[in-house]
Amino acid sequence: MATPATASRPMRADARRNRAALVAAARAEFAERAHEAAIEDIAKRAGVGVGTLYRHFPRRIDLVEAVYLEEIETLAESAATAAADADPFAGLSTWMQAYARYAMNKRNLLKELQEAFERDPGLRLQLRERLVASADKALAPAQAAGVVRADLSGDDLIRLVGGVCMSATATPDQNERLLDVILAGLRA
Amino acid sequence: MATPATASRPMRADARRNRAALVAAARAEFAERAHEAAIEDIAKRAGVGVGTLYRHFPRRIDLVEAVYLEEIETLAESAATAAADADPFAGLSTWMQAYARYAMNKRNLLKELQEAFERDPGLRLQLRERLVASADKALAPAQAAGVVRADLSGDDLIRLVGGVCMSATATPDQNERLLDVILAGLRA
């Protein structure tokens, strides 16, 4: 996933800052423009030159993968927050909203991610496992408290929310309403 | 949609029987083998020669479209049955199961349907309108009886169930469980 240059030796602090700024800028650009996001605009938004961008991410797909990994990381953090919520149903609800945002962002990366998945068939599976782990973690406390149906799995959650939010024509309003329906349906 | 030859003059009774047998056979073959269904097997299953098949459906895509129209027709009939159910929630539940079957069958036709939709961009919209009309019809009595949330539309229903059932890796067991979650979530 990481480029050999960045994986083989520790980065200096300014290189780390640049890399983080590039990933953040790319996230924002992909969210706004999907596959039409331009490399030049990403560098500009990050406040670095295009040469710096290419040193960190030699190919566009490297940047797409880094953004997607960041989305999954954000989701994993939401699962930890959800699991720590004193109200387990509210915690699960928060995680589901985070997953809906993740799914909508993934939709913007999908066209280019397909390419990465075709190049590395294990990658899709590996990332899906991280997603399911995140969903399991968010689900467990609500099931332990008996407020959510015991027969549901993290994979079920992902399919329910993802199926709704990955649709190309879904509006934020409709997604919110449908998420609400799903949440109500999860109750034990 | 229909081939000019069949649309321009009434068919004889045996021709109508052959056509119906071909569409039924194609439905079964597509359900079992998706885009790998062979024209020869469809003719054989219908008990007619390949020449007869080609007279009714000159191109493979004509047969795919006829099967898909039949799926939508079946769904419209389910909506009428649902709307006539004395228990409006049970009626809606029956329709949602019919929609789940429709969505799973559509998944098998999707690859070839895309081609038809690209050739005729209005077709997708026109068929989607019939789907939404079917969902609206199934939903109305349950909303009128106050047993289903009033803020939901037929389009919401389609998105909830379709998103879950169109997934390429969904199993019938999981689909049934997720449908159950969605149904519970619809309640007012």
Side-chain angles (χ1 to χ4, degrees), chain A residues 130-147:
Chain A
R130 291 185 62 184
L131 281 187
V132 173
S134 168
D136 283 339
K137 189 171 187 169
L139 190 59
Q143 287 181 319
V147 292

Side-chain angles (χ1 to χ4, degrees), chain B residues 61 110-120:
Chain B
I61 192 70
L110 210 53
K111 220 169 164 172
E112 299 184 74
L113 272 177
Q114 296 294 6
E115 196 191 312
F117 290 155
E118 273 163 31
R119 218 176 49 195
D120 178 2

Side-chain angles (χ1 to χ4, degrees), chain A residues 149 151-152 155-156 159-160 163-164 167 169-170 174 177-178 180-182 184-186, chain B residues 149 151-152 155-156 159-160 163-164 167 169-170 174 177-178 180-182 184-186:
Chain A
R149 286 170 58 144
D151 63 341
L152 297 177
D155 186 70
D156 289 341
R159 213 171 280 273
L160 279 164
V164 161
S167 156
T169 52
Q174 188 179 32
R177 189 165 63 246
L178 301 187
D180 201 47
V181 168
I182 293 170
L186 298 178
Chain B
R149 286 169 58 144
D151 63 342
L152 298 176
D155 186 71
D156 288 342
R159 214 171 279 272
L160 280 163
V164 160
S167 155
T169 53
Q174 189 179 29
R177 189 165 62 248
L178 301 187
D180 201 46
V181 168
I182 292 170
L186 297 179

Side-chain angles (χ1 to χ4, degrees), chain A residues 13 40 47 55 61 74 103 105-106 133 137 148 155 166 176 186:
Chain A
E40 292 72 18
R55 263 199 305 284
I61 191 71
T74 302
N105 288 337
K106 183 178 177 187
K137 189 171 187 169
V148 160
D155 186 70
M166 298 277 285
E176 197 180 322
L186 298 178

